[in-house]
Amino acid sequence: MSVLILAEHDGKALNPAVNHAVTAAQHWGTPVHLLLAGNDTNVIAQAAAEISGVARVIRVDAAHLEHALAEDLANILVAIGRDYQVILGVHGAYARNTLPRAAALLDVAMVSDAVEILPGNTYVRPVYAGSVYSTVQNDEAIQIITVRSSRFKAAGLDGSAEIVTLDAPPAFGKSRWIGRTHQHSDRPALGSARIVVSGGRSLGSAEKFDAVLTPLADKLDAALGATRAAVDAGYAPNDIQVGQTGVVVAPDLYIAVGVSGAVQHTYGMKDSKIVVAINQDPDAPIFQVADYGLVADLFDAVPKLTAAIH
Amino acid sequence: MKILVAVKRVVDHNIQVRIRPDGSDVDIAGVKMSINPFDENAVEEALRLKERGLAKEIVAVSFGTAANQDVLRHALAMGADRALLVETEAQLQPLGVAKLLKAVVEREQPDIVLLGKQAIDDDAGQAGQMLAALLGAGQGTFISSLNIEGDEAIVTREIDGGTEQIAVKLPAVLTADLRLNDPRFVKLPNLMMAKKKPIETLNAAELSTDTAPRLKQVKVSEPPARKPGVKVGSIEELIEKLHEEGMLS
């Protein structure tokens, strides 16, 4: 029996978090297969085959798979899933959409957002916005789990997996893709950036959010993040929200600017290696998770910090 | 069009939950409980569809004990037409919830099932997708906008790095993200009126579904704490520390 990873990609490249999922998959000590579903996955499959520890890349190409609709991805997992001991995905929108659907079709429970995999099909996962860790044992015949990729190292790139192709099940047909809006810039992706500069409601407006944080992020080649309060106030787009209901990040350096530090936010950044907090309120809870705290007016401190970095 | 909205009763989001001394579970005795915030977004969106003339009837459903009447009253006070409480003492997990919901869907025959994208207690985020699977229906998850055109729900989904628009044939299962809407405040007269609306009660056993828990919670624990940090006195000191950590090279 093997482990199957639902490998997320955007039609051009694999999500780098898949490399971390491959490391998580080594836990079972059985062959690891990557499922690559899309419209033309040839180039991505070549790259996927180079990930160390992957034995097989399964390509499923069909026009109706181009936009990764959950119904169609789940049907592939149902078609081949019973041959696997474990079906694993990265805890992001892609797998969170598809894996619960596949689990129900296979009539097995699922474990979301595992931060640790223990012997005996036992997992540690955050609950209550990460303020509590729950250890759960899953006795299902097929283990379906999403993992928090930042908790697992990236696998190397000296593999040489076989690449096989599989016919796609017919299109489900009840969902139709219309379009996608990328709010992207040339910044590193939030989920995999080495440095994240994140702003809270204290920034006061979308203009100030941009004027204060963008130069610092530019200088550090950092991704921008935001709290839910800042997003709800319209200062920042929703896809950069860090926290319980947004993206979970674990960069080397997380700079929280004007962030109070509600648990719903710290859920999404507590695994960062170094946390810097700049906040005027010395009692802000963010200082409890910060390695380096600076009590200062952010409008004064951040431009000075930006200017001082070379 | 009929909309079924599923609401979960959870520990209020402002409460910091405590762990029982024996580590077997969290201790929620006597703690303030509320409607799951994402489910409140789902109720609100259903109401808006009704106000736009697109939906006729909104039915709220919750699973649990008689205590769950409070979240159903909340949904009624917001404007739901009627409520259904499916009583069970069982510790429900997402697959069990999806199976119960499927039974309710077969009874109520809604065109749309709306529910939150996740509950803020177990943070699993599975029930909606599982329900769609069991119904053989299309799914629109993590939605931040909803329109009905013909026999399709046109939704915007919040995905990593942006948003996506898809059309899902009705009947469909849709899960609400927080930015779908701002739920209305419940006014006191509405709450008083909601107390007069009947809540239909069913026993989960009547729905003859398998709700046995599949996952066994071994223990709960405090998450690892970050090592205590230091306050720096100036930008210069901060930069020096970041250099020492190798963060600015």
Side-chain angles (χ1 to χ4, degrees):
Chain A
M1 294 293 264
S2 318
V3 179
L4 181 66
I5 296 176
L6 174 66
E8 177 179 353
H9 64 91
D10 62 3
K12 298 180 196 78
L14 275 183
N15 179 341
V18 172
N19 299 45
H20 299 254
V22 169
T23 299
Q26 304 300 332
H27 169 84
W28 285 272
T30 59
V32 174
H33 297 177
L34 290 193
L35 172 63
L36 205 53
N39 191 16
D40 179 11
T41 56
N42 183 31
V43 174
I44 308 170
Q46 303 296 331
E50 290 175 15
I51 301 175
S52 314
V54 176
R56 182 183 298 167
V57 176
I58 303 168
R59 283 183 58 194
V60 187
D61 275 8
H64 68 267
L65 296 176
E66 180 165 2
H67 300 296
L69 292 168
E71 295 87 344
D72 291 315
L73 294 184
N75 281 349
I76 301 172
L77 290 169
V78 170
I80 64 173
R82 287 185 181 84
D83 297 335
Y84 290 90
Q85 172 187 358
V86 182
I87 301 175
L88 188 147
V90 169
H91 192 68
Y94 187 90
R96 288 161 75 181
N97 193 24
T98 296
L99 288 188
R101 187 176 180 101
L105 293 172
L106 292 163
D107 195 26
V108 295
M110 170 176 163
V111 174
S112 294
D113 199 14
V115 295
E116 207 177 328
I117 304 174
L118 303 173
N121 292 329
T122 301
Y123 308 88
V124 180
R125 57 179 304 271
V127 293
Y128 292 95
S131 58
V132 174
Y133 273 11
S134 168
T135 302
V136 292
Q137 188 184 327
N138 178 5
D139 292 326
E140 302 280 19
I142 308 171
Q143 303 283 306
I144 299 191
I145 59 173
T146 56
V147 295
R148 185 176 293 196
S149 55
S150 60
R151 288 299 186 97
F152 303 90
K153 288 198 167 70
L157 293 171
D158 60 357
S160 54
E162 62 167 340
I163 299 175
V164 301
T165 57
L166 192 76
D167 287 338
F172 180 74
K174 292 184 190 171
S175 290
R176 186 163 61 79
W177 187 83
I178 299 170
R180 185 162 297 186
T181 315
H182 282 283
Q183 285 148 336
H184 262 196
S185 54
D186 38 16
R187 290 189 187 291
L190 179 59
S192 55
R194 199 178 82 82
I195 302 178
V196 174
V197 173
S198 202
R201 193 157 47 182
S202 307
L203 268 309
S205 71
E207 293 70 33
K208 286 188 262 183
F209 190 95
D210 184 52
V212 174
L213 299 186
T214 303
L216 179 60
D218 284 346
K219 211 147 189 186
L220 293 168
D221 192 25
L224 277 173
T227 65
R228 183 184 159 204
V231 171
D232 283 352
Y235 305 167
N238 54 39
D239 65 323
I240 68 166
Q241 182 190 322
V242 172
Q244 180 189 19
T245 62
V247 183
V248 174
V249 300
D252 287 349
L253 176 59
Y254 189 90
I255 303 179
V257 177
V259 171
S260 64
V263 290
Q264 287 81 4
H265 180 73
T266 57
Y267 178 93
M269 46 68 76
K270 266 197 303 197
D271 291 342
S272 305
K273 203 160 153 196
I274 299 290
V275 174
V276 170
I278 300 173
N279 197 309
Q280 198 155 26
D281 174 7
D283 298 323
I286 190 69
F287 288 121
Q288 288 162 25
V289 297
D291 299 279
Y292 301 108
L294 179 65
V295 179
D297 176 2
L298 70 92
F299 295 106
D300 177 52
V302 176
K304 278 187 185 158
L305 176 63
T306 306
I309 293 169
H310 299 291
Chain B
M1 178 180 303
K2 183 167 167 181
I3 302 177
L4 179 71
V5 188
V7 295
K8 185 175 184 182
R9 186 172 187 263
V10 297
V11 172
D12 187 85
H13 73 279
N14 287 312
I15 305 285
Q16 170 76 39
V17 292
R18 288 186 313 273
I19 292 172
R20 284 186 195 155
D22 65 358
S24 61
D25 205 346
V26 293
D27 182 5
I28 60 169
V31 162
K32 184 186 178 200
M33 305 293 282
S34 298
I35 182 171
N36 177 43
F38 294 95
D39 297 341
E40 198 176 19
N41 291 104
V43 175
E44 176 64 35
E45 197 63 18
L47 296 174
R48 292 185 187 191
L49 287 179
K50 189 177 173 185
E51 285 160 1
R52 286 155 61 193
L54 293 166
K56 227 171 156 174
E57 188 184 26
I58 299 163
V59 183
V61 63
S62 193
F63 306 127
T65 64
N68 281 44
Q69 289 191 5
D70 60 359
V71 292
L72 289 172
R73 297 266 176 229
H74 185 94
L76 290 170
M78 285 178 76
D81 295 295
R82 57 191 181 85
L84 180 61
L85 171 63
V86 179
E87 285 194 314
T88 173
E89 297 280 340
Q91 280 292 323
L92 293 176
Q93 293 179 351
L95 187 57
V97 169
K99 288 182 177 187
L100 280 175
L101 273 173
K102 176 176 184 254
V104 172
V105 166
E106 281 161 359
R107 194 175 172 271
E108 295 285 343
Q109 298 288 322
D111 301 281
I112 295 176
V113 183
L114 259 168
L115 61 168
K117 75 162 183 176
Q118 76 193 67
I120 60 163
D121 48 5
D122 68 4
D123 283 325
Q126 302 170 2
Q129 299 89 309
M130 287 178 159
L131 172 65
L134 298 178
L135 293 172
Q139 67 186 52
T141 53
F142 329 138
I143 67 169
S144 57
S145 81
L146 168 60
N147 265 304
I148 308 296
E149 288 176 16
D151 66 345
E152 289 179 322
I154 312 293
V155 302
T156 299
R157 303 183 55 237
E158 301 211 341
I159 57 172
D160 301 337
T163 58
E164 173 181 82
Q165 290 73 45
I166 62 169
V168 188
K169 277 221 161 59
L170 304 180
V173 178
L174 307 176
T175 75
D177 216 319
L178 289 174
R179 271 168 294 279
L180 183 56
N181 52 49
D182 286 317
R184 64 199 63 192
F185 287 106
V186 172
K187 298 191 189 96
L188 192 62
N190 294 0
L191 202 59
M192 301 309 285
M193 260 172 8
K195 288 203 168 128
K196 292 189 190 126
K197 293 188 190 176
I199 294 178
E200 187 187 350
T201 302
L202 272 182
N203 193 299
E206 294 172 50
L207 298 174
S208 60
T209 51
D210 162 27
T211 58
R214 305 286 192 94
L215 303 176
K216 186 179 147 214
Q217 181 163 274
V218 179
K219 63 166 186 172
V220 296
S221 53
E222 300 279 352
R226 290 186 65 89
K227 63 172 171 56
V230 295
K231 290 245 170 75
V232 293
S234 66
I235 294 287
E236 293 69 29
E237 194 185 341
L238 176 60
I239 287 183
E240 191 185 309
K241 296 287 186 193
L242 292 178
H243 272 297
E244 282 170 21
E245 299 277 4
M247 289 296 155
L248 297 179
S249 46

